[in-house]
Amino acid sequence: MPPDAGRQFTRDRQYWLNYIERKCGPVARIMHDNEPYTADGMASCLRLEYQNMIDSPQPFIRECDGHRYYTITRQDIRPDRDFIATPQEERSVLASEPDSYTVSLPQLVVTSAQDSRTNAHIRDYAQLGAIEARIAMVNTQENDPYASTDYSSNTDLVVYTDSLLVLDTATFEHGHGAGVAGTGNTSHFYLVKEGRELTAGRVFQSRSQWRTFLSRRAYADLKADGLVSTPPMFDTITSAKQLEKIVAKPRNWRFDIRGLTLLFNYDDLEPGYDKLTTVTIPWNDLRPYLVKDTPILELAQVPVRNPP
């Protein structure tokens, strides 16, 4: 294993060991305060965690566009604060689980200075420093946005060329007390040689009315699928104009061999809509609006990827 990957592999396992010791030890004891939690219970929990790791082997180093990469994973678990604060007779089943926090992000096996710079950008984009600081806290802080929550964020490397890096991030959040789940899928485009994020201006011609085209096309497809309402029900989308802010953001784009897929996330279209909705526009329809030398054209050969 390359030295940089070996160091991260060791750190991943250290975080995992801390996670399962806390999960099967102090966290489990607190969350089982209405029944005895014995050493046998802890041993059974640890055995299950180890067996799950053994039964689900994943290759640590993988390939993408001729480059090798690996995934950093950070995990933590804490007693659910709302559960602890609630009198035992008033606790609900929904709030009977601890809070978990899991984040993963890719890193390239370093073979050049460009790989090192790209890795630093990915860590900054994923806010790895803040994540590790949060996980290092023994107790959940009062203002921590992830208190009383299951939260996971998984970032995958989709494309890595000499000029373009593309990441897909899938998030899941579940608040125990409210019993409400939220999902999110976003894309991230990074211009490797220029050392900056891709902007809409590097994809679409500024005077081509591309926002109007995308929003009208998306609205027509969503309406045909019954995902927008006329007349309005609750707070749903009722016009193409309302979609412009969503379709104009690169974070809601995904390019592959089919063309541009627009991502509509949890609550984008109507309250409580809890799954990813997509609209795909073929390359031939996009070409009149594209900047002539846009690096996005590199993605016209990328295979289709199903949403996480």
Side-chain angles (χ1 to χ4, degrees), residues 124-141:
D124 184 60
Y125 158 72
Q127 299 180 320
L128 182 63
I131 290 166
E132 292 182 333
R134 183 181 296 118
I135 287 178
M137 293 188 302
V138 176
N139 298 310
T140 305
Q141 301 300 304

Side-chain angles (χ1 to χ4, degrees), residues 125 151 153 166-171 183-190 197-200 203-204 210 244-255 260-266 268 276-278 296:
Y125 158 72
Y151 177 86
S153 173
V166 184
L167 304 172
D168 273 358
T169 300
T171 60
T183 58
N185 294 78
T186 57
S187 295
H188 179 73
F189 304 89
Y190 176 65
E197 293 185 33
L198 178 82
T199 61
V203 180
F204 293 106
W210 61 271
E244 280 197 15
K245 288 184 178 180
I246 300 172
V247 302
K249 296 177 180 178
R251 69 193 305 270
N252 295 322
W253 299 345
R254 182 176 289 161
F255 292 91
L260 166 63
T261 295
L262 298 168
L263 309 179
F264 296 93
N265 283 296
Y266 171 75
D268 276 345
L276 179 70
T277 301
T278 63
I296 279 303

Side-chain angles (χ1 to χ4, degrees), residues 72 105 107 116 118-129:
I72 294 176
L105 60 144
Q107 291 281 271
S116 296
T118 302
N119 281 346
H121 174 80
I122 296 173
R123 292 194 299 272
D124 184 60
Y125 158 72
Q127 299 180 320
L128 182 63

Side-chain angles (χ1 to χ4, degrees), residues 60-174:
F60 187 65
I61 295 180
R62 289 171 282 175
E63 297 278 339
C64 180
D65 294 325
H67 295 269
R68 295 193 299 166
Y69 75 101
Y70 52 91
T71 300
I72 294 176
T73 302
R74 300 290 182 260
Q75 293 175 286
D76 192 26
I77 190 166
R78 294 187 178 92
D80 181 88
R81 194 179 62 207
D82 288 349
F83 178 82
I84 296 169
T86 303
Q88 186 169 324
E89 65 275 8
E90 297 178 15
R91 292 173 181 169
S92 69
V93 175
L94 285 173
S96 63
E97 297 292 332
D99 303 333
S100 63
Y101 188 91
T102 306
V103 173
S104 65
L105 60 144
Q107 291 281 271
L108 299 160
V109 173
V110 176
T111 59
S112 67
Q114 179 173 290
D115 292 340
S116 296
R117 290 191 297 270
T118 302
N119 281 346
H121 174 80
I122 296 173
R123 292 194 299 272
D124 184 60
Y125 158 72
Q127 299 180 320
L128 182 63
I131 290 166
E132 292 182 333
R134 183 181 296 118
I135 287 178
M137 293 188 302
V138 176
N139 298 310
T140 305
Q141 301 300 304
E142 197 66 33
N143 61 349
D144 191 326
Y146 303 107
S148 301
T149 298
D150 283 338
Y151 177 86
S152 64
S153 173
N154 179 61
T155 298
D156 283 332
L157 178 60
V158 181
V159 172
Y160 183 64
T161 69
D162 287 340
S163 60
L164 190 62
L165 169 84
V166 184
L167 304 172
D168 273 358
T169 300
T171 60
F172 175 82
E173 185 175 347
H174 177 81

Side-chain angles (χ1 to χ4, degrees), residues 200-201 203-213 288-291:
V203 180
F204 293 106
Q205 301 174 40
S206 60
R207 299 180 181 180
S208 64
Q209 300 296 313
W210 61 271
R211 293 180 183 83
T212 301
F213 165 71
Y289 302 92
L290 295 177
V291 172

